[in-house]
Amino acid sequence: MSGVNITSVLQETRKFPPAKEFSATAHVKSEAEYDELWWKAKDDPTGFWGSMSQNLDWFEPFDTVLEGEMPNTKWFVGGRLNASYNCVDRHLKTWRKNKAAIIWEGEPGDTRVLTYQDLHRETCKFANVLKSLGVQSGDRVTIYMPLVPEIIVAMLACARIGAVHSIIFGGFSADAVAERNNDAQAKVVITADGGWRRGKEVELKHAVDESLEKSHTVQQVVVLRRTGTPITMVPGRDHWWHDLMAEASPECEPASLDSEHPLFILYTSGSTGKPKGVLHTTAGYTLGTMMTSKWVFDLNDTDTYWCTADVGWITGHSYVCYGPLANGATVMMYEGAPNWPHDGRFWEIIEKYKVTIFYTAPTAIRSFIRWGDEWPNKHDLTSLRLLGSVGEPINPEAWMWYHKVIGGERCPIVDTWWQTETGSIMISPLPGATTTKPGSCTRPLPGVVPDIVTKEGESLPDNAGGLLVMRQPWPSMLRTLYNDHERFLKTYFSEIPGCYFAGDGARRDEDGCYWVMGRVDDVLNVSGHRLSTMEVESALVSHPLVAEAAVVGFPHEIKGEGICCFVSLTTGEGDDALKQQLKDHVRKQIGALASPDMIRFSNALPKTRSGKIMRRLLRDIAAGRERVQDTTTLEDYGVLAKLRASEE
Ligand code: 7RM
């Protein structure tokens, strides 16, 4: 099939060059500096990454920068190092010893600060705890915890002894925990009695108990006391975190690990039911997250950096934990919901801690817009100097709101495109160098060589929509899918020969900027034109009454596929007149081709726990199918009934 070209209809021409004052002190100060770095990496990747690798502390130097070709690559072959050493120990030899590594606030308002020295002591102690439980290098350890500092301690302790952590987001069910424990053959689970979310307790230990009825490899459970809720402790199996820590020595030599030693597995949902265990390794991942944190977030020692992602997602792994800590940054962490106890909680936190860098997701930004400007306007947000976005394409309307209302028209926005599989940010502005455009993740980072191609792998010209691929390997790419190398090869490398295929559709404009149009599985085919659902959604949310929109195709006798739009409104119920108005609005914004056939109002849309809209499910509903596909990652079951009731 060569008809993969996707017609792009999004017309966005606004440009925002970096401010002189920002560029003056940035790590990368100009477009020319960026170009130089990028071309250096492109022309001599091993020379480039070899020199970048000197930003890590090595126990043994490597012999070869890169061995093999995609998909089977090894980086920094023969080198030995430790990720926890690189995130913590090395800062103790500097003035950063007593610098805050983590500033944490719980949802109920309790607070804690851990300096690098504190983090070192806790990590060493917990590494000894793991050893005392029989955990050895290479063993898998499941972490199922709330967003508390101990989740970072647990990760770094695993890394310290060479154990492979597998974090399961605290919102997942007991069944999801069991399935992942079984796949990873986890030996130990680290959890808490519970965590706080929107004023309610998330009962983690109960879920672990239930999961262990279905997974039999787990021998020991460590339980952090967080909420104090009554739980059952199974003698011989379950241990309190504080009891074990009280006995543990604060000294633990970091294991000297091979560059390619597995660092962690992170399960991510695939198109079939079974989750994929994305595996990352020590040197390449640590280097990738470290360098991209520095380039993209322009981290400095005076920054208070806040990435709002849960550590259970890749964004939390890379940009709450490994990347910023490897840079010796101060990381803000907040346990709870953005709208608890009020819709201004995030802005309150920014003001209170004078946060300078704020990194969040478009789905959150659209919620903030819906909650109203009065919330951010109540707080002094002038400490902010840089904003980031991740997780989905950000629609230009949301971008402009973020720029104006949160950034005070002062802060650059870095729209960062990357994936669980890529480990670190791949395409993004560098805030001191890149001219940004609302809705575009702009240019590839140094060492990243993307292209837009047809199904046959032929490069497409500027502005033609096609498949987003990577033509060269990069250090932080996944090495395999745990226990399923075949699936790894098939999913990412069989589609386009010689390339990594990301699964996204995109176009590159005449300035070399990339515009990601979403997953190719979500593309519409209307009268032979392939259209991006995201672009129709973007047009819909530019209407003042639309809070959020999800667009899918449905079988249509004449057009092949018709356009069905699920729309949630900022206020009111929605009627036929508004339906017509929205159809006209889209037609006016992007043309008759993209004119919706069906508008369905619903006050909620089906989303995964990380906020991505589940279009697969909406396709079933739009087509009137009774039975829908896999719903295990759906956040709120109630929305299904509501969506069915929304019929035209
Ligand atoms: C970091 C993360 C990956 C998928 C990816 C895209 C989408 C993420 C952006 C984006 C447009 C962005 N990892 N995506 N960031 N699309 N612009 N800045 O989200 O593995 O959970 O998801 O998310 O479709 O393939 S992920």
Side-chain angles (χ1 to χ4, degrees):
M1 183 187 82
S2 60
V4 64
N5 301 28
I6 304 165
T7 312
S8 179
V9 286
L10 185 72
Q11 287 157 17
E12 176 56 58
T13 52
R14 288 170 285 199
K15 290 187 186 184
F16 297 83
K20 282 200 185 60
E21 308 79 67
F22 194 102
S23 301
T25 60
H27 291 305
V28 182
K29 295 180 170 54
S30 65
E31 194 92 47
E33 247 181 61
Y34 157 80
D35 280 335
E36 196 188 316
L37 270 177
W38 193 84
W39 280 105
K40 219 189 233 168
K42 167 94 166 31
D43 293 340
D44 178 18
T46 54
F48 177 79
W49 286 116
S51 95
M52 287 303 134
S53 71
Q54 298 315 302
N55 289 294
L56 293 179
D57 279 19
W58 296 85
F59 296 150
E60 302 278 348
F62 52 85
D63 311 307
T64 318
V65 172
L66 172 62
E67 219 177 77
E69 281 170 18
M70 273 206 297
N72 298 309
T73 52
K74 286 183 178 163
W75 287 86
F76 311 112
V77 182
R80 300 191 83 83
L81 75 169
N82 185 287
S84 92
Y85 183 92
N86 274 280
C87 289
V88 187
D89 301 46
R90 60 170 167 169
H91 305 309
L92 304 187
K93 295 183 219 149
T94 72
W95 66 269
R96 292 191 189 92
K97 183 174 83 172
N98 291 317
K99 178 182 173 177
I102 296 171
I103 300 177
W104 174 85
E105 184 163 304
E107 196 183 72
D110 42 342
T111 65
R112 279 164 62 196
V113 177
L114 269 78
T115 64
Y116 274 95
Q117 190 166 223
D118 294 333
L119 187 57
H120 181 257
R121 188 177 49 250
E122 296 301 301
T123 300
C124 287
K125 283 169 74 175
F126 199 69
N128 285 325
V129 165
L130 290 174
K131 282 188 193 170
S132 75
L133 295 175
V135 178
Q136 292 174 358
S137 182
D139 285 347
R140 276 79 54 214
V141 172
T142 291
I143 300 176
Y144 183 60
M145 294 178 89
L147 196 61
V148 290
E150 285 81 359
I151 192 170
I152 305 282
V153 171
M155 294 165 87
L156 294 173
C158 287
R160 196 163 192 87
I161 63 170
V164 182
H165 59 70
S166 162
I167 307 187
I168 304 172
F169 171 57
F172 279 127
S173 65
D175 281 352
V177 177
E179 186 178 20
R180 286 157 177 75
N181 275 341
N182 284 331
D183 191 76
Q185 305 260 291
K187 203 167 180 180
V188 167
V189 173
I190 307 165
T191 188
D193 46 3
W196 295 110
R197 183 83 189 171
R198 217 161 273 130
K200 292 208 187 77
E201 192 180 338
V202 183
E203 297 182 334
L204 298 169
K205 177 59 165 63
H206 287 320
V208 168
D209 291 343
E210 196 186 325
S211 79
L212 292 189
E213 288 165 19
K214 294 179 191 157
S215 55
H216 303 289
T217 60
V218 175
Q219 295 154 15
Q220 313 277 343
V221 178
V222 183
V223 187
L224 178 80
R225 183 174 279 150
R226 164 72 188 126
T227 57
T229 193
I231 54 166
T232 1
M233 296 290 279
V234 176
R237 187 194 76 181
D238 300 352
H239 316 269
W240 284 109
W241 173 290
H242 56 263
D243 288 342
L244 297 174
M245 288 293 264
E247 306 284 307
S249 154
E251 260 140 62
C252 176
E253 280 297 307
S256 177
L257 301 171
D258 190 89
S259 290
E260 286 293 330
H261 187 85
L263 180 61
F264 66 84
I265 301 167
L266 180 57
Y267 286 92
T268 175
S269 49
S271 47
T272 66
K274 193 174 177 285
K276 301 180 287 197
V278 171
L279 184 115
H280 283 289
T281 55
T282 303
Y285 175 84
T286 309
L287 182 63
T289 56
M290 179 185 176
M291 296 317 298
T292 52
S293 296
K294 184 171 167 176
W295 288 328
V296 174
F297 300 118
D298 192 47
L299 282 176
N300 283 308
D301 274 315
T302 45
D303 280 313
T304 303
Y305 160 89
W306 184 19
C307 164
T308 66
D310 192 281
V311 173
W313 307 117
I314 190 67
T315 307
H317 282 62
S318 301
Y319 299 109
V320 177
C321 183
Y322 291 104
L325 295 180
N327 282 288
T330 294
V331 175
M332 176 79 218
M333 283 171 82
Y334 164 62
E335 177 189 27
N339 54 350
W340 189 265
H342 54 75
D343 292 349
R345 185 68 186 270
F346 275 15
W347 322 124
E348 189 177 85
I349 290 172
I350 290 174
E351 179 174 19
K352 178 172 171 191
Y353 297 95
K354 304 282 178 278
V355 171
T356 58
I357 303 170
F358 179 67
Y359 186 35
T360 196
T363 177
I365 297 170
R366 287 190 295 269
S367 296
F368 304 147
I369 297 175
R370 184 159 27 162
W371 297 338
D373 292 7
E374 61 269 29
W375 293 102
N377 288 346
K378 259 188 233 171
H379 297 277
D380 178 6
L381 304 180
T382 53
S383 58
L384 290 171
R385 67 179 196 96
L386 175 63
L387 303 175
S389 171
V390 62
E392 295 170 79
I394 179 166
N395 50 296
E397 290 306 310
W399 196 102
M400 288 306 298
W401 182 90
Y402 201 27
H403 169 71
K404 285 191 184 134
V405 181
I406 305 306
E409 297 183 46
R410 184 184 71 249
C411 305
I413 296 179
V414 289
D415 175 0
T416 64
W417 180 87
W418 60 293
Q419 306 176 296
T420 304
E421 293 86 345
T422 69
S424 57
I425 297 170
M426 301 291 277
I427 310 182
S428 166
L430 300 190
T434 314
T435 293
T436 56
K437 305 178 186 187
S440 170
C441 52
T442 73
R443 323 259 313 258
L445 297 193
V448 174
V449 186
D451 200 3
I452 306 290
V453 301
T454 64
K455 266 268 185 205
E456 285 72 38
E458 282 160 41
S459 295
L460 282 162
D462 288 350
N463 287 313
L467 310 177
L468 177 60
V469 298
M470 299 299 147
R471 291 203 173 274
Q472 279 183 21
W474 64 99
S476 69
M477 73 185 257
L478 81 165
R479 298 298 192 266
T480 191
L481 292 175
Y482 193 71
N483 277 338
D484 205 347
H485 200 65
E486 276 307 304
R487 190 175 179 195
F488 162 78
L489 297 175
K490 187 165 178 297
T491 310
Y492 307 107
F493 300 96
S494 68
E495 213 85 16
I496 312 293
C499 291
Y500 168 82
F501 172 48
D504 283 355
R507 76 181 159 96
R508 181 182 51 231
D509 71 17
E510 56 286 353
D511 298 325
C513 288
Y514 285 78
W515 298 77
V516 174
M517 302 191 280
R519 309 292 301 165
V520 277
D521 308 345
D522 292 337
V523 164
L524 301 162
N525 196 330
V526 183
S527 311
H529 297 276
R530 289 171 64 85
L531 288 174
S532 147
T533 55
M534 180 277 289
E535 295 192 329
V536 184
E537 288 159 9
S538 182
L540 282 163
V541 292
S542 73
H543 188 283
L545 286 177
V546 176
E548 227 174 355
V551 170
V552 295
F554 67 97
H556 189 286
E557 272 180 19
I558 298 154
K559 304 185 192 179
E561 229 173 11
I563 300 180
C564 175
C565 310
F566 293 86
V567 170
S568 71
L569 298 173
T570 46
T571 48
E573 288 291 296
D575 53 15
D576 285 348
L578 184 58
K579 280 181 185 172
Q580 193 53 50
Q581 222 189 77
L582 292 179
K583 288 179 185 175
D584 294 343
H585 179 75
V586 174
R587 189 175 304 128
K588 199 161 144 242
Q589 292 268 306
I590 53 184
L593 177 65
S595 179
D597 298 283
M598 209 196 275
I599 304 263
R600 295 169 69 153
F601 294 113
S602 164
N603 54 12
L605 297 171
K607 287 191 190 164
T608 65
R609 301 211 176 242
S610 64
K612 292 184 170 62
I613 292 171
M614 297 176 75
R615 293 191 187 74
R616 267 185 297 146
L617 223 147
L618 288 174
R619 273 199 293 275
D620 289 337
I621 292 173
R625 285 191 278 271
E626 257 315 302
R627 224 155 21 106
V628 297
Q629 301 184 37
D630 180 31
T631 53
T632 47
T633 52
L634 181 65
E635 188 169 31
D636 169 13
Y637 279 101
V639 302
L640 278 184
K642 289 184 203 154
L643 288 163
R644 287 215 176 85
S646 71
E647 220 154 335
E648 262 223 345

